[in-house]
Amino acid sequence: MYDDIANNPQNPTKGVIINHPNGKDVYHGVPKDYTGNNVTPKNFINVLLGNKEEMRGIGSGKVLESGPDDNVFVFFTDHGAVGLVAFPSGVLYAKDLNETIAKMHAQQKYKQ
């Protein structure tokens, strides 16, 4: 997660995210493996491909460690554009994402 809301200067409740009036803090305790400048297309691809060495010293260093019997679900949200997924400081083009999924398939990183 880019993690740009909780400590944003415009947030009146620093370090807290409340998603409706009088609501509870939905930010506290949320695990964050990669935040801020570590949220890049390159790192996202490395995580999907399970490239531990490439992610050493970056964020949590966690990568996908799935195999041929695993179902992998990736949820990514952004504002939407044709042919790309937008990151805070870059874009991941559909061609590159498709190539990554094909590599994952060839390496038997998922069943579905």
Side-chain angles (χ1 to χ4, degrees), residues 42-100:
K42 178 183 175 186
N43 288 346
F44 183 65
I45 288 172
N46 282 324
V47 167
L48 290 177
L49 293 176
N51 292 335
K52 281 186 180 184
E53 192 58 39
E54 290 291 323
M55 297 309 296
R56 187 176 314 281
I58 301 172
S60 69
K62 288 182 182 178
V63 297
L64 193 62
E65 297 186 60
S66 56
D69 296 322
D70 293 312
N71 295 326
V72 175
F73 177 81
V74 176
F75 175 80
F76 195 105
T77 183
D78 81 75
H79 297 287
V82 176
L84 62 86
V85 177
F87 281 73
S89 58
V91 296
L92 175 59
Y93 292 100
K95 174 183 151 291
D96 299 321
L97 180 57
N98 288 336
E99 285 175 6
T100 300

Tab-separated table of all heavy atoms in Angstrom, residues 42-100:
chain	number	residue	atom	x	y	z
A	42	LYS	N	8.371	-2.423	-10.569
A	42	LYS	CA	9.465	-3.397	-10.498
A	42	LYS	C	9.331	-4.276	-9.258
A	42	LYS	O	9.452	-5.506	-9.332
A	42	LYS	CB	10.811	-2.672	-10.488
A	42	LYS	CG	12.001	-3.589	-10.378
A	42	LYS	CD	13.304	-2.816	-10.309
A	42	LYS	CE	14.473	-3.766	-10.067
A	42	LYS	NZ	15.726	-3.068	-9.845
A	43	ASN	N	9.083	-3.661	-8.106
A	43	ASN	CA	8.943	-4.434	-6.873
A	43	ASN	C	7.708	-5.323	-6.916
A	43	ASN	O	7.740	-6.467	-6.445
A	43	ASN	CB	8.908	-3.515	-5.655
A	43	ASN	CG	10.257	-2.907	-5.357
A	43	ASN	OD1	11.286	-3.338	-5.863
A	43	ASN	ND2	10.259	-1.876	-4.537
A	44	PHE	N	6.632	-4.828	-7.479
A	44	PHE	CA	5.404	-5.617	-7.599
A	44	PHE	C	5.669	-6.878	-8.422
A	44	PHE	O	5.279	-7.982	-8.031
A	44	PHE	CB	4.306	-4.757	-8.240
A	44	PHE	CG	2.973	-5.433	-8.343
A	44	PHE	CD1	2.249	-5.786	-7.212
A	44	PHE	CD2	2.409	-5.689	-9.582
A	44	PHE	CE1	1.009	-6.393	-7.311
A	44	PHE	CE2	1.165	-6.290	-9.696
A	44	PHE	CZ	0.464	-6.647	-8.563
A	45	ILE	N	6.353	-6.725	-9.539
A	45	ILE	CA	6.693	-7.878	-10.379
A	45	ILE	C	7.601	-8.839	-9.623
A	45	ILE	O	7.395	-10.060	-9.663
A	45	ILE	CB	7.326	-7.415	-11.710
A	45	ILE	CG1	6.250	-6.785	-12.596
A	45	ILE	CG2	8.014	-8.572	-12.426
A	45	ILE	CD1	6.776	-6.124	-13.852
A	46	ASN	N	8.598	-8.317	-8.918
A	46	ASN	CA	9.492	-9.179	-8.144
A	46	ASN	C	8.748	-9.948	-7.061
A	46	ASN	O	9.049	-11.118	-6.799
A	46	ASN	CB	10.641	-8.375	-7.541
A	46	ASN	CG	11.711	-8.075	-8.554
A	46	ASN	OD1	12.005	-8.896	-9.425
A	46	ASN	ND2	12.310	-6.908	-8.457
A	47	VAL	N	7.777	-9.319	-6.430
A	47	VAL	CA	6.972	-9.999	-5.415
A	47	VAL	C	6.179	-11.132	-6.065
A	47	VAL	O	6.151	-12.258	-5.566
A	47	VAL	CB	6.038	-9.009	-4.682
A	47	VAL	CG1	4.988	-9.747	-3.868
A	47	VAL	CG2	6.845	-8.079	-3.790
A	48	LEU	N	5.528	-10.848	-7.190
A	48	LEU	CA	4.741	-11.870	-7.872
A	48	LEU	C	5.594	-13.050	-8.318
A	48	LEU	O	5.168	-14.204	-8.239
A	48	LEU	CB	4.016	-11.280	-9.081
A	48	LEU	CG	2.869	-10.322	-8.795
A	48	LEU	CD1	2.311	-9.771	-10.099
A	48	LEU	CD2	1.775	-11.001	-7.994
A	49	LEU	N	6.795	-12.766	-8.802
A	49	LEU	CA	7.671	-13.820	-9.301
A	49	LEU	C	8.441	-14.543	-8.193
A	49	LEU	O	9.163	-15.506	-8.454
A	49	LEU	CB	8.652	-13.249	-10.331
A	49	LEU	CG	8.032	-12.765	-11.631
A	49	LEU	CD1	9.082	-12.119	-12.529
A	49	LEU	CD2	7.335	-13.910	-12.365
A	50	GLY	N	8.301	-14.066	-6.962
A	50	GLY	CA	8.969	-14.715	-5.842
A	50	GLY	C	10.459	-14.443	-5.776
A	50	GLY	O	11.219	-15.242	-5.235
A	51	ASN	N	10.895	-13.296	-6.302
A	51	ASN	CA	12.320	-12.949	-6.343
A	51	ASN	C	12.795	-12.396	-4.993
A	51	ASN	O	12.927	-11.191	-4.811
A	51	ASN	CB	12.589	-11.930	-7.451
A	51	ASN	CG	12.401	-12.507	-8.829
A	51	ASN	OD1	12.526	-13.708	-9.031
A	51	ASN	ND2	12.081	-11.657	-9.785
A	52	LYS	N	13.084	-13.296	-4.064
A	52	LYS	CA	13.509	-12.889	-2.716
A	52	LYS	C	14.783	-12.048	-2.736
A	52	LYS	O	14.900	-11.065	-2.014
A	52	LYS	CB	13.763	-14.122	-1.842
A	52	LYS	CG	12.545	-14.754	-1.280
A	52	LYS	CD	12.934	-15.865	-0.316
A	52	LYS	CE	11.699	-16.498	0.258
A	52	LYS	NZ	12.047	-17.514	1.264
A	53	GLU	N	15.733	-12.455	-3.547
A	53	GLU	CA	17.021	-11.742	-3.576
A	53	GLU	C	16.827	-10.291	-4.025
A	53	GLU	O	17.445	-9.380	-3.473
A	53	GLU	CB	18.000	-12.467	-4.500
A	53	GLU	CG	19.424	-11.983	-4.376
A	53	GLU	CD	20.001	-12.109	-2.966
A	53	GLU	OE1	19.735	-13.112	-2.273
A	53	GLU	OE2	20.723	-11.173	-2.549
A	54	GLU	N	15.982	-10.078	-5.007
A	54	GLU	CA	15.720	-8.715	-5.502
A	54	GLU	C	15.024	-7.855	-4.457
A	54	GLU	O	15.135	-6.637	-4.490
A	54	GLU	CB	14.879	-8.764	-6.783
A	54	GLU	CG	15.611	-9.310	-7.986
A	54	GLU	CD	16.710	-8.384	-8.472
A	54	GLU	OE1	16.532	-7.153	-8.433
A	54	GLU	OE2	17.752	-8.902	-8.907
A	55	MET	N	14.279	-8.488	-3.544
A	55	MET	CA	13.509	-7.736	-2.556
A	55	MET	C	14.216	-7.652	-1.202
A	55	MET	O	13.701	-7.015	-0.291
A	55	MET	CB	12.119	-8.369	-2.382
A	55	MET	CG	11.276	-8.332	-3.651
A	55	MET	SD	11.165	-6.691	-4.414
A	55	MET	CE	10.305	-5.788	-3.155
A	56	ARG	N	15.393	-8.231	-1.096
A	56	ARG	CA	16.148	-8.184	0.158
A	56	ARG	C	16.448	-6.723	0.513
A	56	ARG	O	16.935	-5.960	-0.294
A	56	ARG	CB	17.448	-8.965	0.026
A	56	ARG	CG	18.200	-9.107	1.339
A	56	ARG	CD	19.453	-9.961	1.223
A	56	ARG	NE	19.296	-11.207	0.506
A	56	ARG	CZ	18.757	-12.335	1.020
A	56	ARG	NH1	18.321	-12.333	2.259
A	56	ARG	NH2	18.664	-13.427	0.297
A	57	GLY	N	16.093	-6.334	1.729
A	57	GLY	CA	16.344	-4.976	2.196
A	57	GLY	C	15.300	-3.965	1.770
A	57	GLY	O	15.429	-2.778	2.054
A	58	ILE	N	14.263	-4.420	1.103
A	58	ILE	CA	13.174	-3.534	0.665
A	58	ILE	C	11.915	-3.944	1.416
A	58	ILE	O	11.505	-5.103	1.362
A	58	ILE	CB	12.942	-3.631	-0.854
A	58	ILE	CG1	14.208	-3.255	-1.619
A	58	ILE	CG2	11.766	-2.754	-1.268
A	58	ILE	CD1	14.114	-3.501	-3.116
A	59	GLY	N	11.306	-3.003	2.122
A	59	GLY	CA	10.092	-3.308	2.885
A	59	GLY	C	10.288	-4.529	3.754
A	59	GLY	O	11.334	-4.711	4.373
A	60	SER	N	9.291	-5.398	3.774
A	60	SER	CA	9.365	-6.623	4.569
A	60	SER	C	10.197	-7.694	3.870
A	60	SER	O	10.585	-8.676	4.499
A	60	SER	CB	7.964	-7.178	4.824
A	60	SER	OG	7.419	-7.673	3.606
A	61	GLY	N	10.416	-7.526	2.577
A	61	GLY	CA	11.129	-8.534	1.802
A	61	GLY	C	10.263	-9.718	1.413
A	61	GLY	O	10.713	-10.621	0.710
A	62	LYS	N	9.010	-9.715	1.840
A	62	LYS	CA	8.124	-10.836	1.525
A	62	LYS	C	7.835	-10.900	0.027
A	62	LYS	O	7.665	-9.871	-0.631
A	62	LYS	CB	6.793	-10.707	2.267
A	62	LYS	CG	6.883	-10.971	3.740
A	62	LYS	CD	5.495	-10.872	4.365
A	62	LYS	CE	5.537	-11.076	5.859
A	62	LYS	NZ	4.192	-10.918	6.448
A	63	VAL	N	7.785	-12.127	-0.480
A	63	VAL	CA	7.427	-12.377	-1.871
A	63	VAL	C	6.433	-13.535	-1.913
A	63	VAL	O	6.284	-14.270	-0.932
A	63	VAL	CB	8.660	-12.709	-2.740
A	63	VAL	CG1	9.633	-11.538	-2.782
A	63	VAL	CG2	9.351	-13.973	-2.261
A	64	LEU	N	5.802	-13.702	-3.037
A	64	LEU	CA	4.875	-14.802	-3.228
A	64	LEU	C	5.656	-16.113	-3.276
A	64	LEU	O	6.606	-16.239	-4.037
A	64	LEU	CB	4.107	-14.583	-4.541
A	64	LEU	CG	2.891	-15.439	-4.791
A	64	LEU	CD1	1.827	-15.192	-3.722
A	64	LEU	CD2	2.314	-15.124	-6.160
A	65	GLU	N	5.278	-17.044	-2.423
A	65	GLU	CA	5.946	-18.345	-2.376
A	65	GLU	C	4.929	-19.440	-2.697
A	65	GLU	O	4.809	-20.426	-1.975
A	65	GLU	CB	6.580	-18.563	-1.003
A	65	GLU	CG	7.662	-17.546	-0.700
A	65	GLU	CD	8.386	-17.854	0.592
A	65	GLU	OE1	8.985	-18.934	0.697
A	65	GLU	OE2	8.348	-16.992	1.482
A	66	SER	N	4.222	-19.262	-3.790
A	66	SER	CA	3.164	-20.186	-4.172
A	66	SER	C	3.697	-21.270	-5.095
A	66	SER	O	4.806	-21.180	-5.629
A	66	SER	CB	2.036	-19.412	-4.858
A	66	SER	OG	2.561	-18.688	-5.952
A	67	GLY	N	2.873	-22.293	-5.270
A	67	GLY	CA	3.257	-23.407	-6.120
A	67	GLY	C	2.110	-23.853	-7.006
A	67	GLY	O	1.065	-23.197	-7.070
A	68	PRO	N	2.274	-24.982	-7.677
A	68	PRO	CA	1.320	-25.429	-8.689
A	68	PRO	C	-0.071	-25.781	-8.160
A	68	PRO	O	-1.007	-25.886	-8.947
A	68	PRO	CB	2.003	-26.657	-9.294
A	68	PRO	CG	2.955	-27.130	-8.262
A	68	PRO	CD	3.399	-25.893	-7.526
A	69	ASP	N	-0.222	-25.947	-6.869
A	69	ASP	CA	-1.533	-26.274	-6.307
A	69	ASP	C	-2.213	-25.076	-5.646
A	69	ASP	O	-3.282	-25.227	-5.043
A	69	ASP	CB	-1.400	-27.415	-5.289
A	69	ASP	CG	-0.932	-28.703	-5.937
A	69	ASP	OD1	-1.353	-28.993	-7.081
A	69	ASP	OD2	-0.124	-29.416	-5.309
A	70	ASP	N	-1.611	-23.897	-5.751
A	70	ASP	CA	-2.145	-22.705	-5.081
A	70	ASP	C	-2.990	-21.854	-6.020
A	70	ASP	O	-2.688	-21.716	-7.202
A	70	ASP	CB	-1.002	-21.844	-4.541
A	70	ASP	CG	-0.251	-22.535	-3.421
A	70	ASP	OD1	-0.916	-23.051	-2.501
A	70	ASP	OD2	0.987	-22.560	-3.468
A	71	ASN	N	-4.046	-21.285	-5.454
A	71	ASN	CA	-4.832	-20.276	-6.152
A	71	ASN	C	-4.319	-18.925	-5.692
A	71	ASN	O	-4.242	-18.668	-4.501
A	71	ASN	CB	-6.325	-20.421	-5.832
A	71	ASN	CG	-6.887	-21.720	-6.350
A	71	ASN	OD1	-6.482	-22.216	-7.388
A	71	ASN	ND2	-7.812	-22.294	-5.617
A	72	VAL	N	-3.974	-18.067	-6.626
A	72	VAL	CA	-3.426	-16.756	-6.315
A	72	VAL	C	-4.442	-15.686	-6.708
A	72	VAL	O	-4.906	-15.662	-7.847
A	72	VAL	CB	-2.083	-16.521	-7.043
A	72	VAL	CG1	-1.584	-15.105	-6.810
A	72	VAL	CG2	-1.045	-17.544	-6.580
A	73	PHE	N	-4.759	-14.818	-5.768
A	73	PHE	CA	-5.675	-13.704	-6.022
A	73	PHE	C	-4.923	-12.413	-5.751
A	73	PHE	O	-4.357	-12.237	-4.670
A	73	PHE	CB	-6.898	-13.800	-5.096
A	73	PHE	CG	-7.857	-12.663	-5.246
A	73	PHE	CD1	-8.786	-12.637	-6.265
A	73	PHE	CD2	-7.827	-11.600	-4.355
A	73	PHE	CE1	-9.675	-11.581	-6.405
A	73	PHE	CE2	-8.707	-10.536	-4.476
A	73	PHE	CZ	-9.628	-10.530	-5.508
A	74	VAL	N	-4.892	-11.537	-6.727
A	74	VAL	CA	-4.238	-10.237	-6.569
A	74	VAL	C	-5.308	-9.167	-6.685
A	74	VAL	O	-6.024	-9.110	-7.691
A	74	VAL	CB	-3.151	-10.017	-7.645
A	74	VAL	CG1	-2.554	-8.621	-7.522
A	74	VAL	CG2	-2.071	-11.078	-7.543
A	75	PHE	N	-5.415	-8.335	-5.661
A	75	PHE	CA	-6.344	-7.206	-5.698
A	75	PHE	C	-5.528	-5.937	-5.810
A	75	PHE	O	-4.660	-5.673	-4.985
A	75	PHE	CB	-7.195	-7.166	-4.422
A	75	PHE	CG	-8.084	-5.957	-4.357
A	75	PHE	CD1	-9.276	-5.920	-5.054
A	75	PHE	CD2	-7.713	-4.852	-3.619
A	75	PHE	CE1	-10.083	-4.795	-5.007
A	75	PHE	CE2	-8.512	-3.722	-3.563
A	75	PHE	CZ	-9.707	-3.697	-4.258
A	76	PHE	N	-5.780	-5.184	-6.841
A	76	PHE	CA	-5.068	-3.928	-7.047
A	76	PHE	C	-6.106	-2.886	-7.394
A	76	PHE	O	-6.972	-3.106	-8.224
A	76	PHE	CB	-4.077	-4.070	-8.210
A	76	PHE	CG	-3.061	-2.969	-8.262
A	76	PHE	CD1	-1.757	-3.201	-7.864
A	76	PHE	CD2	-3.397	-1.693	-8.700
A	76	PHE	CE1	-0.809	-2.195	-7.891
A	76	PHE	CE2	-2.465	-0.684	-8.728
A	76	PHE	CZ	-1.169	-0.932	-8.330
A	77	THR	N	-6.027	-1.741	-6.759
A	77	THR	CA	-6.983	-0.688	-7.060
A	77	THR	C	-6.246	0.596	-7.436
A	77	THR	O	-5.219	0.927	-6.852
A	77	THR	CB	-7.928	-0.446	-5.862
A	77	THR	OG1	-8.893	0.543	-6.207
A	77	THR	CG2	-7.181	-0.016	-4.625
A	78	ASP	N	-6.739	1.243	-8.475
A	78	ASP	CA	-6.264	2.573	-8.834
A	78	ASP	C	-7.395	3.270	-9.583
A	78	ASP	O	-8.503	2.751	-9.648
A	78	ASP	CB	-4.929	2.512	-9.612
A	78	ASP	CG	-5.058	2.205	-11.088
A	78	ASP	OD1	-5.458	3.112	-11.834
A	78	ASP	OD2	-4.725	1.074	-11.509
A	79	HIS	N	-7.131	4.401	-10.159
A	79	HIS	CA	-8.187	5.196	-10.788
A	79	HIS	C	-8.589	4.666	-12.154
A	79	HIS	O	-9.627	5.032	-12.675
A	79	HIS	CB	-7.766	6.667	-10.898
A	79	HIS	CG	-7.551	7.293	-9.562
A	79	HIS	ND1	-8.591	7.619	-8.732
A	79	HIS	CD2	-6.432	7.608	-8.886
A	79	HIS	CE1	-8.122	8.136	-7.613
A	79	HIS	NE2	-6.807	8.123	-7.675
A	80	GLY	N	-7.771	3.835	-12.746
A	80	GLY	CA	-8.116	3.202	-14.003
A	80	GLY	C	-7.611	3.940	-15.224
A	80	GLY	O	-7.680	5.158	-15.307
A	81	ALA	N	-7.062	3.188	-16.127
A	81	ALA	CA	-6.609	3.697	-17.416
A	81	ALA	C	-6.486	2.496	-18.345
A	81	ALA	O	-6.293	1.362	-17.904
A	81	ALA	CB	-5.265	4.403	-17.285
A	82	VAL	N	-6.570	2.750	-19.615
A	82	VAL	CA	-6.490	1.675	-20.593
A	82	VAL	C	-5.039	1.220	-20.748
A	82	VAL	O	-4.138	2.029	-20.967
A	82	VAL	CB	-7.054	2.139	-21.958
A	82	VAL	CG1	-6.881	1.056	-23.010
A	82	VAL	CG2	-8.516	2.520	-21.816
A	83	GLY	N	-4.809	-0.075	-20.581
A	83	GLY	CA	-3.517	-0.659	-20.876
A	83	GLY	C	-2.447	-0.515	-19.814
A	83	GLY	O	-1.292	-0.842	-20.066
A	84	LEU	N	-2.819	-0.049	-18.610
A	84	LEU	CA	-1.803	0.089	-17.574
A	84	LEU	C	-2.424	0.084	-16.187
A	84	LEU	O	-3.612	0.291	-16.016
A	84	LEU	CB	-0.986	1.365	-17.769
A	84	LEU	CG	-1.724	2.707	-17.704
A	84	LEU	CD1	-1.840	3.217	-16.281
A	84	LEU	CD2	-0.988	3.718	-18.549
A	85	VAL	N	-1.569	-0.193	-15.222
A	85	VAL	CA	-1.913	-0.062	-13.809
A	85	VAL	C	-1.008	1.029	-13.271
A	85	VAL	O	0.216	0.968	-13.415
A	85	VAL	CB	-1.670	-1.385	-13.044
A	85	VAL	CG1	-1.967	-1.208	-11.565
A	85	VAL	CG2	-2.508	-2.510	-13.630
A	86	ALA	N	-1.605	2.052	-12.659
A	86	ALA	CA	-0.826	3.193	-12.175
A	86	ALA	C	-0.288	2.936	-10.775
A	86	ALA	O	-0.988	2.426	-9.903
A	86	ALA	CB	-1.689	4.453	-12.170
A	87	PHE	N	0.967	3.283	-10.588
A	87	PHE	CA	1.628	3.237	-9.286
A	87	PHE	C	1.939	4.678	-8.892
A	87	PHE	O	1.940	5.572	-9.748
A	87	PHE	CB	2.927	2.433	-9.380
A	87	PHE	CG	2.729	0.945	-9.372
A	87	PHE	CD1	2.215	0.296	-10.487
A	87	PHE	CD2	3.053	0.209	-8.256
A	87	PHE	CE1	2.030	-1.068	-10.477
A	87	PHE	CE2	2.872	-1.162	-8.238
A	87	PHE	CZ	2.356	-1.808	-9.350
A	88	PRO	N	2.231	4.925	-7.619
A	88	PRO	CA	2.519	6.300	-7.191
A	88	PRO	C	3.638	6.976	-7.982
A	88	PRO	O	3.583	8.170	-8.239
A	88	PRO	CB	2.909	6.143	-5.723
A	88	PRO	CG	2.210	4.903	-5.294
A	88	PRO	CD	2.221	4.000	-6.491
A	89	SER	N	4.637	6.206	-8.392
A	89	SER	CA	5.739	6.813	-9.153
A	89	SER	C	6.112	5.923	-10.338
A	89	SER	O	7.247	5.494	-10.470
A	89	SER	CB	6.952	7.033	-8.244
A	89	SER	OG	7.365	5.806	-7.682
A	90	GLY	N	5.153	5.653	-11.164
A	90	GLY	CA	5.414	4.852	-12.353
A	90	GLY	C	4.165	4.112	-12.792
A	90	GLY	O	3.113	4.204	-12.160
A	91	VAL	N	4.291	3.389	-13.886
A	91	VAL	CA	3.169	2.608	-14.396
A	91	VAL	C	3.641	1.201	-14.736
A	91	VAL	O	4.798	0.978	-15.084
A	91	VAL	CB	2.512	3.250	-15.635
A	91	VAL	CG1	1.882	4.585	-15.293
A	91	VAL	CG2	3.502	3.418	-16.766
A	92	LEU	N	2.716	0.273	-14.629
A	92	LEU	CA	2.939	-1.095	-15.051
A	92	LEU	C	2.039	-1.307	-16.256
A	92	LEU	O	0.816	-1.254	-16.143
A	92	LEU	CB	2.586	-2.074	-13.928
A	92	LEU	CG	2.649	-3.558	-14.264
A	92	LEU	CD1	4.042	-3.954	-14.735
A	92	LEU	CD2	2.229	-4.389	-13.062
A	93	TYR	N	2.650	-1.492	-17.399
A	93	TYR	CA	1.879	-1.661	-18.625
A	93	TYR	C	1.299	-3.066	-18.702
A	93	TYR	O	1.888	-4.032	-18.187
A	93	TYR	CB	2.744	-1.349	-19.847
A	93	TYR	CG	3.096	0.108	-19.920
A	93	TYR	CD1	4.339	0.553	-19.502
A	93	TYR	CD2	2.165	1.038	-20.364
A	93	TYR	CE1	4.658	1.905	-19.533
A	93	TYR	CE2	2.472	2.400	-20.394
A	93	TYR	CZ	3.717	2.820	-19.984
A	93	TYR	OH	4.027	4.149	-19.999
A	94	ALA	N	0.146	-3.180	-19.349
A	94	ALA	CA	-0.547	-4.455	-19.470
A	94	ALA	C	0.370	-5.515	-20.071
A	94	ALA	O	0.373	-6.670	-19.616
A	94	ALA	CB	-1.802	-4.291	-20.317
A	95	LYS	N	1.157	-5.156	-21.047
A	95	LYS	CA	2.091	-6.084	-21.691
A	95	LYS	C	3.038	-6.692	-20.653
A	95	LYS	O	3.260	-7.904	-20.636
A	95	LYS	CB	2.878	-5.348	-22.770
A	95	LYS	CG	3.978	-6.141	-23.430
A	95	LYS	CD	4.727	-5.232	-24.427
A	95	LYS	CE	6.142	-5.621	-24.608
A	95	LYS	NZ	7.048	-5.419	-23.512
A	96	ASP	N	3.586	-5.861	-19.788
A	96	ASP	CA	4.526	-6.335	-18.762
A	96	ASP	C	3.830	-7.183	-17.703
A	96	ASP	O	4.383	-8.178	-17.231
A	96	ASP	CB	5.252	-5.154	-18.121
A	96	ASP	CG	6.067	-4.371	-19.138
A	96	ASP	OD1	6.681	-5.004	-20.019
A	96	ASP	OD2	6.077	-3.134	-19.052
A	97	LEU	N	2.614	-6.799	-17.330
A	97	LEU	CA	1.857	-7.595	-16.366
A	97	LEU	C	1.520	-8.953	-16.971
A	97	LEU	O	1.661	-9.982	-16.304
A	97	LEU	CB	0.586	-6.864	-15.932
A	97	LEU	CG	-0.298	-7.595	-14.930
A	97	LEU	CD1	0.464	-7.964	-13.660
A	97	LEU	CD2	-1.517	-6.759	-14.592
A	98	ASN	N	1.109	-8.965	-18.232
A	98	ASN	CA	0.794	-10.232	-18.900
A	98	ASN	C	2.026	-11.126	-19.003
A	98	ASN	O	1.938	-12.339	-18.807
A	98	ASN	CB	0.189	-9.985	-20.280
A	98	ASN	CG	-1.224	-9.457	-20.199
A	98	ASN	OD1	-1.920	-9.666	-19.213
A	98	ASN	ND2	-1.654	-8.761	-21.234
A	99	GLU	N	3.177	-10.533	-19.295
A	99	GLU	CA	4.419	-11.304	-19.355
A	99	GLU	C	4.748	-11.900	-17.984
A	99	GLU	O	5.220	-13.041	-17.887
A	99	GLU	CB	5.578	-10.435	-19.835
A	99	GLU	CG	5.550	-10.133	-21.313
A	99	GLU	CD	6.648	-9.172	-21.753
A	99	GLU	OE1	7.519	-8.806	-20.917
A	99	GLU	OE2	6.635	-8.777	-22.928
A	100	THR	N	4.503	-11.131	-16.927
A	100	THR	CA	4.753	-11.619	-15.570
A	100	THR	C	3.847	-12.800	-15.250
A	100	THR	O	4.304	-13.814	-14.703
A	100	THR	CB	4.541	-10.485	-14.543
A	100	THR	OG1	5.453	-9.424	-14.850
A	100	THR	CG2	4.758	-10.969	-13.124
